[in-house]
Amino acid sequence: MPPIKILLGHLICFLMSLLLAGCSRSNTSEPGPRRADKTPVSPLALRSTAHLKRLLAPGMKTNEILAKLGKPITVFDAGQWAEQWEYPVTPFPADDGMRDAYVISASVFITNGCFANVGYAYAPRQHERSLSAREKIIVTNATVDGGQQYSGQQTPPLRLFTVSSNTIPGGRMIDTDRLPNLGYIPAAPFLEVPVVDQVRLVERLVAEEGGRTHTNWEFTISLPAAYWALLEATTTSNVFNQLLVTVGNEPVFAGRINEPFQNGNFEKTFNEASQVEGVKRELARLQRRK
């Protein structure tokens, strides 16, 4: 039987959709869930239960919501009442009335093609603790003039692109073993860095509730100070867009930009050991050689 807090969360979402019945839609389709499409959906990284509502202005059109959040994982057609768009959420501790629970998904309520409200589903908090952590510095570069000039062997640049599901004139399709059928990127990145300051890998063994354990591998890429403001500005304008990171022309990893990258750092976490070695090998190419 599902945990009572999950049931309560869905009940709250259902009651909210009833309250929106006054803003009816004109279609006559039968109520029920339908998957938006078969494209993998990255979870939203929200900082609080109020965060999503701040991102979505009252009356925002559906195309604007899609531009902000991407496609939902499921759409519930409520017939004459409304549509309910479901998004997975990277779990975070609930900061509303559902204490000692995690927020696990978000519902965006649409009436007459416009944003109306949000709701959340919850799960009991599972207490985790880090049992051990091993850190390895993969790249460390002494930069000169903010990384613009340096001596020694030239390294391939680090490049950041936005990814689109639509064809981009002059762009190219990314479809590799590591990133199958990812999407299209433009000819030029939104940020290119000739030399990074550091790449760090932390392997962390985590204990879950019930005695289970799992391992996470977290890469952190640090840029020279000269690029901090530009990194934050460009990622701010691309929040919730899909990001591709390449070393030279080689695609390395991708993910959603859930919030601006600050202080010149950004991270990527993997849960599968099979994914780690290839990424580590490509990022190691950013190391300068004398």
Side-chain angles (χ1 to χ4, degrees):
M1 181 176 181
I4 189 169
K5 289 184 178 179
I6 293 181
L7 295 176
L8 181 57
H10 285 296
L11 177 60
I12 291 171
C13 292
F14 176 72
L15 292 175
M16 290 178 68
S17 68
L18 291 179
L19 292 174
L20 299 173
C23 300
S24 62
R25 299 191 307 127
S26 59
N27 81 42
T28 57
S29 58
E30 291 296 320
R34 49 189 167 88
R35 178 67 190 268
D37 60 27
K38 296 183 179 180
T39 305
V41 176
S42 299
L44 304 180
L46 304 176
R47 295 186 292 272
S48 68
T49 51
H51 186 185
L52 182 58
K53 206 164 187 178
R54 288 197 299 268
L55 292 172
L56 303 176
M60 181 178 283
K61 301 293 186 182
T62 52
N63 60 336
E64 297 174 286
I65 298 172
L66 289 171
K68 279 281 187 182
L69 306 182
K71 293 181 179 180
I73 192 168
T74 307
V75 174
F76 288 88
D77 195 328
Q80 63 176 345
W81 298 330
E83 279 189 345
Q84 179 179 328
W85 293 8
E86 290 289 324
Y87 288 89
V89 170
T90 300
F92 65 92
D95 57 351
D96 52 10
M98 300 293 290
R99 299 295 179 181
D100 203 32
Y102 276 111
V103 176
I104 58 171
S105 70
S107 300
V108 177
F109 296 93
I110 311 293
T111 58
N112 291 328
C114 299
F115 166 67
N117 214 328
V118 298
Y120 295 98
Y122 304 84
R125 184 177 298 189
Q126 294 184 342
H127 300 285
E128 296 185 347
R129 68 184 190 279
S130 178
L131 297 177
S132 64
R134 294 189 300 172
E135 179 178 299
K136 181 177 182 180
I137 304 299
I138 299 172
V139 173
T140 178
N141 291 322
T143 61
V144 178
D145 190 23
Q148 298 288 344
Q149 300 174 8
Y150 53 92
S151 59
Q153 180 181 339
Q154 185 170 347
T155 62
L158 182 78
R159 293 175 175 146
L160 278 61
F161 296 84
T162 53
V163 182
S164 173
S165 58
N166 300 318
T167 304
I168 300 175
R172 63 180 173 124
M173 174 68 178
I174 302 300
D175 185 7
T176 67
D177 290 341
R178 188 183 297 119
L179 299 168
N181 198 30
L182 180 68
Y184 296 89
I185 62 170
F190 69 79
L191 183 63
E192 179 171 321
V193 183
V195 182
V196 303
D197 266 1
Q198 187 182 84
V199 178
R200 184 173 72 253
L201 171 61
V202 175
E203 180 180 331
R204 199 182 309 277
L205 180 64
V206 178
E208 303 174 4
E209 196 173 39
R212 298 182 301 273
T213 62
H214 68 267
T215 302
N216 293 334
W217 291 266
E218 181 182 278
F219 290 91
T220 301
I221 299 176
S222 301
L223 306 188
Y227 290 89
W228 290 14
L230 185 57
L231 177 68
E232 182 171 356
T234 52
T235 53
T236 296
S237 62
N238 283 296
V239 164
F240 289 122
N241 284 338
Q242 182 87 330
L243 168 73
L244 172 68
V245 174
T246 74
V247 174
N249 293 322
E250 182 64 29
V252 180
F253 63 80
R256 188 189 296 270
I257 302 174
N258 290 309
E259 58 184 346
F261 298 160
Q262 298 180 326
N263 301 319
N265 299 315
F266 60 97
E267 301 171 350
K268 176 66 176 179
T269 300
F270 295 90
N271 298 317
E272 299 291 336
S274 59
Q275 301 172 313
V276 174
E277 285 305 315
V279 172
K280 183 167 68 173
R281 182 173 58 252
E282 291 300 329
L283 292 178
R285 296 170 57 209
L286 298 171
Q287 176 64 54
R288 288 176 52 199
R289 309 293 182 201
K290 293 183 179 180

